[in-house]
């Protein structure tokens, strides 16, 4: 080879290297830009949450009660979303058009998970020799609605799975962990009726009415909806999120039984709605041939609902009980940081295990939280008790406000909204009717056998507390491929915003209008989770004046609750915690060897009432409440606050 040819070959080789390095530099610049946009996106939400916190402090300092923190988060999100949408430049997203090969064997009716682009080789360094280019993989994101999008528009919207896997679990776990179990079990019949029967009934009514409304709409929209679509909309819009109302109840010390019914229903109907929506989706995919009604498919869907809910509950309860056993029979409490880490990881594992086995993680993590609070909490060191309470209270606060902020932002930045005024109006009307069907007929049936009955002003407040929130939005945004699902998302977002801002802001006026007594609660330090000072007189007449319960009425509880309380105090609590009486006194004699293994030295040596003072709900509903005097003297008030009395 001559020196000239060699030099030319070397020159071409250097040129190829330079071009390759230029491509790498361009890719690095693109990665840096995306990193900056991601950081800007997170900074926007961080600033929004910071602004919300500061405004909440101002409102609390000025005693402003007409707007709650979630309403603030929504309003701030709407403002920032409008700024991003209308004040940012466009044409920053680069794209090329790609078409599938004519002989492709892939089913083109469903988009592929990944597209692999093989760019042609462009650089030839000698005859027949080329520098191989790279192959890039692009993941499926969704249907393109508008090509003229800003990069920040795309980054300001998150993958819906983030809500289910990261944002929702701490919210749901916190709901179970802070549940006032004593009052929950005292109103268990009403809570289960409203949460399970009422949610299913509400979904059916909303779905049927919406299907009728859709048939009256223009053919372009009506053709995209089936009855299963409207039934799915009924399931996702039925769960309530009365966070705003409950916070006001806490501040004003509203009747604790009304609080327990509203909070207990909202805790359970989130889980019920999620399982119900999954059963509706499975009805068409697994059972029905054409999506029409089939009795066998309907019964199979009901069995699917019951089975998934029960197995998810079992997974959460088992993980909670397993954590209690680990904290009881190990000395991990000697290292509170490790103990707290174990508690958090086991709780999150309940959610993930349920999801892996195609169950419902929300149900699992809810009942895991209830078991962790009732059993594991008693085994934790004092540092871990305080740390876990404060940690999940903080995570719940941030996650709730983040979701409501995102709802506001996404109204302008999410590209798949479909605004149809008739569908939106129908959604508002049917969701209101569905809530009424949930409360009033079921309250009438409950009052036939309930003593004392649910007063009419309590029923009105239960109806008014039907705010929609995080769960409805998360279910709506999970799938927005079709036009029908896009219309559902838009309508759900507007219903959430309207109920949180308007109904939440009017909660105080509703209490006054319905003459529900306030300011009668007592502080309860042992239940010092988010709504720590809800404690009040039990009964309220329709006129709003408290009265002393008649003999035997306030103490009458469901037989199931009493049986559960006896089983819990004599078997489960001694097994999973250091509570007395020890298993050696409660188990049959032939199980004495096993009882001695499962009983710790601490259970033999501690006083009988030492555990009860650390767990205010340890008695569940075993203790019959005494008649409440119409006036409470300071000494009695002090004893009630410190857990030595029952209201």
């Amino acid at each position: 080879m001559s020196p000239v040819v060699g030099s030319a070959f070397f020159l071409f080789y250097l040129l190829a290297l330079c071009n390759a390095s230029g491509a790498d530099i361009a890719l690095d610049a693109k990665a840096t830009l995306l990193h900056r946009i991601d950081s800007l996106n997170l900074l926007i939400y961080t600033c929004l949450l910071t602004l919300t916190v500061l405004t909440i402090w101002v409102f609390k300092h000025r005693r402003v009660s007409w707007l709650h923190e979630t309403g603030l988060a929504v309003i701030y999100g709407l403002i920032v979303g409008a700024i991003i949408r209308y004040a940012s430049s466009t044409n920053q997203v680069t794209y090329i058009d790609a078409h599938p090969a004519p002989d492709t064997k892939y089913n083109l009716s469903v988009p592929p998970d990944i597209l692999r682009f093989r760019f042609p080789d462009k650089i030839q360094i000698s005859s027949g020799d080329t520098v191989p280019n790279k192959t890039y993989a692009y993941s499926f994101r969704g249907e393109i609605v508008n090509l003229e999008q800003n990069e920040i528009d795309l980054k300001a919207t998150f993958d819906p799975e983030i809500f289910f896997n990261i944002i929702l679990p701490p919210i749901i776990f916190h709901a179970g962990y802070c549940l006032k179990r004593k009052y929950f079990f005292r109103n268990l019949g009403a809570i289960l009726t409203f949460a399970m029967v009422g949610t299913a009934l509400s979904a059916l009514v909303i779905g049927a009415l919406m299907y009728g409304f859709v048939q009256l709409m223009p053919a372009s929209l009506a053709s995209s909806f089936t009855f299963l679509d409207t039934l799915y909309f009924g399931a996702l819009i039925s769960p309530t999120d009365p966070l705003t109302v409950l916070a006001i109840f806490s501040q004003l010390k509203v009747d604790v039984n009304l609080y327990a019914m509203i909070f207990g229903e909202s805790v359970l109907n989130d889980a019920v709605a999620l399982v119900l929506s999954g059963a509706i989706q499975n009805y068409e995919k697994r059972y029905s041939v054409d999506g029409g009604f089939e009795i066998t498919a309907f019964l199979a869907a009901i069995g699917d609902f019951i089975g998934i809910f029960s197995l998810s509950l079992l997974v959460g309860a088992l993980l909670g009980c397993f954590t209690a056993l680990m904290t009881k029979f190990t000395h991990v409490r000697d290292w509170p940081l490790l103990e707290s880490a174990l508690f958090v990881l086991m709780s999150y594992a309940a959610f993930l295990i349920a999801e892996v086995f195609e169950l419902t993680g929300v149900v699992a993590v809810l009942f895991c939280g209830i078991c962790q609070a009732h059993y594991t909490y008693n085994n934790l060191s004092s540092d871990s008790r305080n740390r876990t309470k404060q940690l999940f209270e903080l995570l719940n606060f941030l996650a709730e406000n983040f979701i409501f902020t995102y709802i506001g932002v996404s109204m302008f930045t999410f590209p798949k909204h479909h605004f149809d005024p008739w569908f939106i109006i129908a959604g508002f009307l049917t969701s209101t009717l569905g809530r009424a069907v949930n409360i009033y007929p079921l309250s009438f049936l409950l009052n036939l056998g309930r003593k004392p009955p649910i007063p009419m002003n309590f029923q009105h407040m239960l109806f008014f507390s039907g705010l929609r929130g995080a769960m409805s939005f998360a279910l709506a945004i999970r799938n927005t491929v079709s036009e029908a699902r896009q219309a559902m998302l838009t309508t759900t977002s507007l219903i959430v915003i309207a109920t949180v801002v308007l109904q939440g802001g009017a909660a105080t006026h509703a209490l006054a209008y319905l003459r529900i007594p306030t300011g009668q609660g007592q502080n309860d330090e042992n239940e010092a989770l988010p709504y720590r000072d809800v404690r009040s007189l039990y009964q309220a007449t329709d006129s709003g004046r408290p009265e002393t319960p008649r003999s035997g009425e306030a103490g009458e509880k469901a037989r199931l609750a009493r049986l559960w309380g006896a089983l819990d105090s004599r078997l489960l609590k001694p097994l999973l915690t250091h509570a007395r009486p020890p298993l050696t006194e409660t188990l049959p004699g032939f199980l004495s060897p096993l009882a001695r293994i499962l009983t710790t030295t601490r259970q033999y040596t501690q006083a009988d009432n030492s555990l009860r003072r650390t767990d205010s709900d340890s008695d569940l509903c075993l203790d019959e409440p005494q008649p409440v005097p119409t006036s409470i003297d300071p000494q009695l008030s002090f004893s009630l606050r410190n857990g030595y009395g029952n209201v």
Side-chain angles (χ1 to χ4, degrees), residues 27 45 84 118 221 261 269 282 321 352 440 452 486 494 593:
L27 290 175
Y45 286 102
I84 293 175
R118 291 186 175 89
L221 184 64
M261 284 189 287
N269 66 15
N282 293 336
C321 293
L352 297 178
Y440 295 110
Q486 293 169 10
L494 292 174

Side-chain angles (χ1 to χ4, degrees), residues 296-310:
T296 55
F298 176 72
L299 295 176
I302 293 178
D304 196 13
F305 170 81
I306 297 174
I308 291 177
F309 191 93
S310 302

Side-chain angles (χ1 to χ4, degrees), residues 357-396:
F357 288 98
E358 295 187 348
L359 302 175
T360 304
V362 167
V363 178
V365 78
L366 169 63
F367 286 94
C368 179
I370 294 175
C371 290
Q372 298 282 41
H374 193 54
Y375 300 117
T376 310
Y377 178 83
N378 300 297
N379 301 333
L380 300 178
S381 62
S382 59
D383 288 345
S384 294
R385 288 176 183 171
N386 295 330
R387 183 180 288 119
T388 54
K389 282 184 178 181
Q390 294 170 1
L391 172 64
F392 283 105
E393 184 176 0
L394 175 63
L395 291 177
N396 174 75

Side-chain angles (χ1 to χ4, degrees), residues 158-174:
F158 294 95
D159 187 342
E161 291 303 312
I162 292 178
F163 288 99
F164 279 91
N165 294 329
I166 298 177
I167 305 297
L168 279 181
I171 295 176
I172 302 299
F173 179 85
H174 176 262

Side-chain angles (χ1 to χ4, degrees), residues 517-529:
T518 60
Q520 299 171 345
Q522 304 294 330
N523 288 333
D524 186 5
E525 299 298 335
N526 288 331
E527 294 182 284
L529 280 164

Side-chain angles (χ1 to χ4, degrees), residues 123-431:
I123 303 173
Q124 292 186 352
I125 58 176
S126 63
S127 178
D129 295 327
T130 60
V131 175
N133 211 327
K134 298 178 180 179
T135 299
Y136 297 94
Y138 290 82
S139 299
F140 172 72
R141 182 179 183 119
E143 181 187 4
I144 295 297
V145 178
N146 179 19
L147 294 178
E148 302 295 324
Q149 284 182 321
N150 188 350
E151 190 75 43
I152 189 63
D153 284 347
L154 300 178
K155 292 297 181 178
T157 56
F158 294 95
D159 187 342
E161 291 303 312
I162 292 178
F163 288 99
F164 279 91
N165 294 329
I166 298 177
I167 305 297
L168 279 181
I171 295 176
I172 302 299
F173 179 85
H174 176 262
Y177 195 47
C178 77
L179 185 68
K180 297 179 187 299
R181 298 174 302 284
K182 185 191 304 183
Y183 301 99
F184 178 85
F185 278 96
R186 286 179 180 173
N187 297 276
L188 182 62
I191 291 172
L192 290 178
T193 302
F194 290 136
M196 303 195 74
V197 179
T199 301
L201 187 61
S202 174
L204 181 61
V205 169
I206 294 174
L209 291 176
M210 284 299 297
Y211 186 72
F213 278 116
V214 165
Q215 300 309 308
L216 302 176
M217 295 178 187
S220 58
L221 184 64
S223 61
S224 62
F225 276 92
T226 64
F227 179 69
L228 287 179
D229 289 327
T230 59
L231 196 61
Y232 181 81
F233 176 74
L236 70 87
I237 206 64
S238 293
T240 59
D241 188 5
L243 178 66
T244 305
V245 176
L246 292 174
I248 293 174
F249 279 16
S250 174
Q251 296 169 4
L252 300 180
K253 303 179 178 66
V254 177
D255 185 279
V256 72
N257 292 279
L258 176 61
Y259 177 96
M261 284 189 287
I262 293 176
F263 182 59
E265 182 207 356
S266 69
V267 167
L268 290 180
N269 66 15
D270 280 351
V272 172
L274 185 57
V275 180
L276 184 60
S277 62
I280 293 171
Q281 290 177 312
N282 293 336
Y283 177 86
E284 185 172 9
K285 289 192 301 183
R286 298 182 184 177
Y287 308 119
S288 180
V289 176
D290 57 356
F293 181 79
E294 300 174 7
I295 186 63
T296 55
F298 176 72
L299 295 176
I302 293 178
D304 196 13
F305 170 81
I306 297 174
I308 291 177
F309 191 93
S310 302
L311 290 176
S312 302
L313 186 156
L314 183 63
V315 168
L318 288 178
L319 263 292
C321 293
F322 183 63
T323 309
L325 288 173
M326 285 196 297
T327 54
K328 176 183 178 180
F329 292 105
T330 65
H331 294 284
V332 70
R333 61 178 288 128
D334 295 336
W335 292 272
L337 181 61
L338 300 180
E339 185 182 38
S340 301
L342 178 67
F343 181 93
V344 174
L345 293 174
M346 293 297 293
S347 302
Y348 189 50
F351 175 86
L352 297 178
I353 290 174
E355 291 293 325
V356 166
F357 288 98
E358 295 187 348
L359 302 175
T360 304
V362 167
V363 178
V365 78
L366 169 63
F367 286 94
C368 179
I370 294 175
C371 290
Q372 298 282 41
H374 193 54
Y375 300 117
T376 310
Y377 178 83
N378 300 297
N379 301 333
L380 300 178
S381 62
S382 59
D383 288 345
S384 294
R385 288 176 183 171
N386 295 330
R387 183 180 288 119
T388 54
K389 282 184 178 181
Q390 294 170 1
L391 172 64
F392 283 105
E393 184 176 0
L394 175 63
L395 291 177
N396 174 75
F397 174 82
L398 292 176
E400 282 273 8
N401 282 279
F402 172 81
I403 287 182
F404 285 104
T405 301
Y406 181 72
I407 292 173
V409 172
S410 66
M411 284 301 299
F412 292 95
T413 62
F414 196 75
K416 297 177 185 176
H417 279 294
H418 182 81
F419 289 87
D420 186 278
W422 296 113
F423 189 86
I424 293 170
I425 294 173
F428 272 92
L429 291 176
T430 55
S431 62

